[in-house]
Amino acid sequence: FLANDRKVLDGGRPIQVYELAPDRDGTTRTWLNIKFPFADAAGRRYVGGVGIDVTDRVRAEQQKRDLERQLYQAQKME
């Protein structure tokens, strides 16, 4: 997270990035984060952001790719 925050501060523009973070139960969640720079009246710079948990979507896409790969292998065997 810190490396992406640094990119925002150094670049001075927003980024969109996928980041992995552990959940309370220890599972890894995938987040689509939009991070942007901003400054307060005193000129202190900060990183703001919005995060969307896309774990279920990422898992579903992976399952679809796995099934397509299995189907392809089955077709090759025929």
Side-chain angles (χ1 to χ4, degrees):
F1 290 99
L2 293 175
N4 288 325
D5 290 352
R6 178 59 46 204
K7 284 181 190 177
V8 171
L9 291 174
D10 291 345
R13 56 193 161 133
I15 65 169
Q16 179 174 307
V17 62
Y18 288 97
E19 296 177 315
L20 304 176
D23 204 354
R24 291 181 188 158
D25 64 3
T27 60
T28 300
R29 308 292 296 176
T30 303
W31 291 85
L32 172 59
N33 291 323
I34 296 91
K35 297 182 173 198
F36 53 88
F38 68 96
D40 65 11
R44 291 180 293 246
R45 298 182 321 149
Y46 300 96
V47 175
V50 176
I52 303 166
D53 185 348
V54 294
T55 305
D56 293 337
R57 183 177 74 188
V58 169
R59 287 181 184 158
E61 289 170 359
Q62 182 62 47
Q63 288 175 342
K64 180 181 176 186
R65 284 191 299 272
D66 292 345
L67 289 172
E68 288 171 347
R69 196 173 305 116
Q70 290 173 7
L71 177 61
Y72 175 74
Q73 289 298 324
Q75 290 172 341
K76 275 178 47 176
M77 297 294 280
E78 289 178 9

